[in-house]
């Protein structure tokens, strides 16, 4: 039987592990993934994750925890936020169940490509923002 996992933390750990392509200096999401708002104007892009309501797929036949996670990509300009959101969305397409670095509680991560919505433009008081949501299937360690 499957178990529930901290989907937000697992997705953040996965994003923050992508230091060659997504996170860090000179990469699209330079400040990485966070579970809370960052204060101050964004000088580089980052993503804030939030768990959305939805069902989970737990059972003997399918022990994965399904979680819908929303990624709000913030940046100093619409153009930079768009580049970062597109890079994140493209990274989602690589999640096919192979082991990923996601902390100690999760070993496998899959995204259903048909579940991805966005990136779509949705500015808010924090500045330029694009949103990309997806269903993640997480297998506990």
């Amino acid at each position: 039987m499957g178990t529930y996992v901290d989907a937000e933390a697992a997705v953040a750990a996965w994003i923050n592990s992508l230091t060659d392509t997504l996170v860090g200096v000179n990469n699209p999401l330079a400040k990485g993934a966070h579970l809370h708002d960052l204060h101050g104007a964004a000088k580089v892009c980052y993503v804030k994750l939030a768990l959305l309501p939805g069902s989970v797929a737990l059972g003997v036949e399918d022990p994965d925890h399904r979680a819908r996670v929303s990624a709000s990509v913030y940046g100093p300009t619409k153009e930079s936020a768009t580049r970062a959101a597109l890079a994140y969305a493209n990274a989602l397409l690589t999640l096919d169940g192979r082991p990923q670095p996601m902390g100690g509680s999760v070993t496998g991560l899959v995204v259903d490509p048909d579940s991805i919505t966005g990136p779509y433009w949705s500015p808010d008081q924090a500045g330029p923002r694009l949103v990309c949501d997806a269903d993640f299937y997480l297998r506990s360690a």
Side-chain angles (χ1 to χ4, degrees):
M1 181 99 167
T3 57
Y4 289 94
V5 298
D6 184 347
E8 288 173 316
V11 173
W14 167 70
I15 292 169
N16 290 330
S17 75
L18 300 176
T19 56
D20 290 338
T21 58
L22 196 61
V23 175
V25 177
N26 297 323
N27 282 327
L29 282 173
K31 282 192 179 177
H34 303 273
L35 305 182
H36 53 80
D37 290 317
L38 297 184
H39 299 290
K43 293 182 180 171
V44 294
C45 296
Y46 69 94
V47 64
K48 182 179 91 170
L49 300 174
L51 184 63
L52 298 178
S55 63
V56 294
L58 285 175
V60 175
E61 300 83 17
D62 185 10
D64 295 340
H65 173 177
R66 184 178 73 182
R68 186 142 185 92
V69 177
S70 181
S72 292
V73 179
Y74 292 94
T77 65
K78 181 177 183 179
E79 292 79 11
S80 63
T82 298
R83 280 191 300 276
L86 291 171
Y88 169 73
N90 284 320
L92 291 175
L93 297 175
T94 68
L95 296 174
D96 59 6
R98 289 176 287 171
Q100 300 289 333
M102 293 172 284
S105 65
V106 179
T107 60
L109 184 61
V110 175
V111 167
D112 175 5
D114 293 332
S115 77
I116 299 171
T117 56
Y120 57 89
W121 176 241
S122 182
D124 70 7
Q125 68 277 6
R129 175 180 78 154
L130 283 92
V131 178
C132 185
D133 301 339
D135 288 346
F136 290 82
Y137 292 81
L138 304 105
R139 180 151 297 160
S140 63

